[in-house]
Amino acid sequence: MAGNGRTVRDLRRANRTAVLQRLYFDGPLSRFELGPATGLSSGSVSNVVADLIADGLVEEAGSVDSDGGRPRTLLRVAPASGHMIGVDVGETRVRVELFDLALTELARTERPLEQQRYEVEVIVDHVRSGIDEVLAAAGLAPERLLGVGIGVPGIVERTADRGAVVHGQTIGWDAVPLESLLRDGSPLPDSVPYFIDNGARTLGQAEMWFGAGRGAENALVVLFGSGVGASLVTPEVRHGRAVEWGHLTVRVRGRRCRCGALGCLEAYAGAESLLARWSEEGGRVPQDTDEETALTAMLAAAYPADGADADPVALAVLEETAEYLGAGLSDLINLFQPERILMGGWAGLQLGSRFLPAVRRHALAYALRHPAERVTIELGKLGPDAVTVGAAILPLADFFDRGGRRPDPDPTVPAPAWREALRDRVPR
């Protein structure tokens, strides 16, 4: 038994985690560089590296000249040593992607959500068949997966008997036991875990690890799609916390939100409500098409590329939406005083740089001056795949926390808390 109640096994796992983490985010590195990067002695580094190479997790990646001595061998995490699946249960489609350990995409598939959108059985079938399809496309055996991460709309609760349960009021999900439904008849062996979390939070995790949030201590990542949501990242909650920002009341006795309440931000700022307001004001909204296509048509009408006159109705609705979004962001600025706010989600990316200056202007006008002067408001960098990347990070973080050990199929062996694992794996 080591000090502080930690066993020798715990210390070995922590040392493996430290080396893997630094190689993953800062590599390739030499053994000499790993010492100060991890705080481990040279002997510990050598032992851990030898162990990781023997397990196939670390490989050589060339060499670099040293001052007056032999060239130093560089090391990196072996990309093919692990695979994860990320799933985005989005508002217009279910997207499933297979990644290697370096988060390089190996295969993907999408299932549009049309008339049957958000029926639980349909979503479960899309996820299951999507997993089957990407594994077959890459020729990967299911048991080689480290896990499947899934980003969903709504609040996710962990239960002892049913696993992850989703409370998605806006999509009609009332305590849906999604994990147990997926496990029943799953194409995956029991040894491959599911990690289910809020989609805004997985988006935030991806941007903080690999995107526009990298290096920030306090950030808010906004998901702007059919509705709106946000993920808060601070030193106290480094792993991020989903914030039901879309259901802040912005107008007393206002429009009815899809959650059932009146005056929510989402009733004015989500793409679904944006298109509804355009239609109500007499706009020519394309019929029999999905929201993404309709929003593209609205943008083309408001900002014509050929020099034609803009559709004044579409332009007015977009300008009003920018003000509502800005006012909603000002609440986040005043409450949390972030250094960065990043906007992602399919609608946020589609509206893009043309829309963001107006949102930024309104946000700073409504917010208190001191926190407003310190915040930057930008688009996310990871594009439409950010939620699936963030979802794939969930099993990756669990893998790190296990020191590069695969999940133990023995249910009597306690698993590390993967949510907590995310907190300490943020890149420097």
Side-chain angles (χ1 to χ4, degrees), residues 35-123:
T38 60
L40 300 176
S41 67
S42 59
S44 293
V45 167
S46 294
N47 290 335
V48 171
V49 167
D51 194 24
L52 293 172
I53 290 176
D55 287 347
L57 295 175
V58 168
E59 62 187 15
E60 294 185 358
S63 62
V64 63
D65 292 336
S66 60
D67 296 334
R70 294 183 301 172
R72 292 182 180 140
T73 301
L74 296 176
L75 304 167
R76 69 175 182 181
V77 174
S81 60
H83 301 83
M84 303 82 63
I85 286 178
V87 180
D88 175 11
V89 179
E91 293 130 335
T92 60
R93 60 176 53 85
V94 173
R95 178 181 286 123
V96 182
E97 297 184 54
L98 173 67
F99 302 92
D100 66 13
L101 206 61
L103 284 175
T104 300
E105 180 192 301
L106 303 179
R108 73 154 60 200
T109 187
E110 294 185 352
R111 304 286 195 272
L113 296 178
E114 297 171 351
Q115 302 302 321
Q116 297 175 306
R117 57 186 299 168
Y118 289 128
E119 288 189 13
V120 175
E121 296 80 5
V122 172
I123 298 296

Side-chain angles (χ1 to χ4, degrees), residues 1-198:
M1 178 79 70
N4 301 318
R6 302 180 72 190
T7 66
V8 172
R9 181 178 179 179
D10 291 334
L11 291 175
R12 286 175 177 167
R13 187 179 73 187
N15 290 348
R16 284 169 61 100
T17 293
V19 170
L20 281 171
Q21 177 183 327
R22 292 279 56 89
L23 286 177
Y24 191 83
F25 292 117
D26 301 330
L29 296 172
S30 67
R31 291 172 177 79
F32 178 80
E33 293 169 311
L34 278 169
T38 60
L40 300 176
S41 67
S42 59
S44 293
V45 167
S46 294
N47 290 335
V48 171
V49 167
D51 194 24
L52 293 172
I53 290 176
D55 287 347
L57 295 175
V58 168
E59 62 187 15
E60 294 185 358
S63 62
V64 63
D65 292 336
S66 60
D67 296 334
R70 294 183 301 172
R72 292 182 180 140
T73 301
L74 296 176
L75 304 167
R76 69 175 182 181
V77 174
S81 60
H83 301 83
M84 303 82 63
I85 286 178
V87 180
D88 175 11
V89 179
E91 293 130 335
T92 60
R93 60 176 53 85
V94 173
R95 178 181 286 123
V96 182
E97 297 184 54
L98 173 67
F99 302 92
D100 66 13
L101 206 61
L103 284 175
T104 300
E105 180 192 301
L106 303 179
R108 73 154 60 200
T109 187
E110 294 185 352
R111 304 286 195 272
L113 296 178
E114 297 171 351
Q115 302 302 321
Q116 297 175 306
R117 57 186 299 168
Y118 289 128
E119 288 189 13
V120 175
E121 296 80 5
V122 172
I123 298 296
V124 169
D125 182 66
H126 283 342
V127 174
R128 283 181 186 159
S129 62
I131 290 171
D132 270 339
E133 184 175 331
V134 296
L135 288 174
L140 188 74
E143 58 270 16
R144 292 184 60 192
L145 284 174
L146 301 177
V148 177
I150 305 174
V152 298
I155 299 168
V156 180
E157 175 188 19
R158 294 291 307 177
T159 66
D161 56 339
R162 298 188 295 172
V165 173
V166 182
H167 303 270
Q169 188 170 327
T170 60
I171 61 172
W173 284 19
D174 183 14
V176 171
L178 184 60
E179 184 173 351
S180 62
L181 291 173
L182 287 169
R183 184 62 70 187
D184 184 21
S186 170
L188 303 178
D190 290 343
S191 60
V192 177
Y194 287 95
F195 302 84
I196 301 172
D197 211 336
N198 175 271

Side-chain angles (χ1 to χ4, degrees), residues 232-263:
L232 169 69
V233 180
T234 71
E236 293 75 28
V237 282
R238 292 291 295 268
H239 55 302
R241 184 179 75 217
V243 179
E244 289 295 332
W245 173 57
H247 302 289
L248 291 176
T249 302
V250 295
R251 190 164 181 173
V252 177
R253 294 186 295 276
R255 292 175 60 88
R256 187 167 298 279
C257 178
R258 57 183 181 171
C259 76
L262 297 176

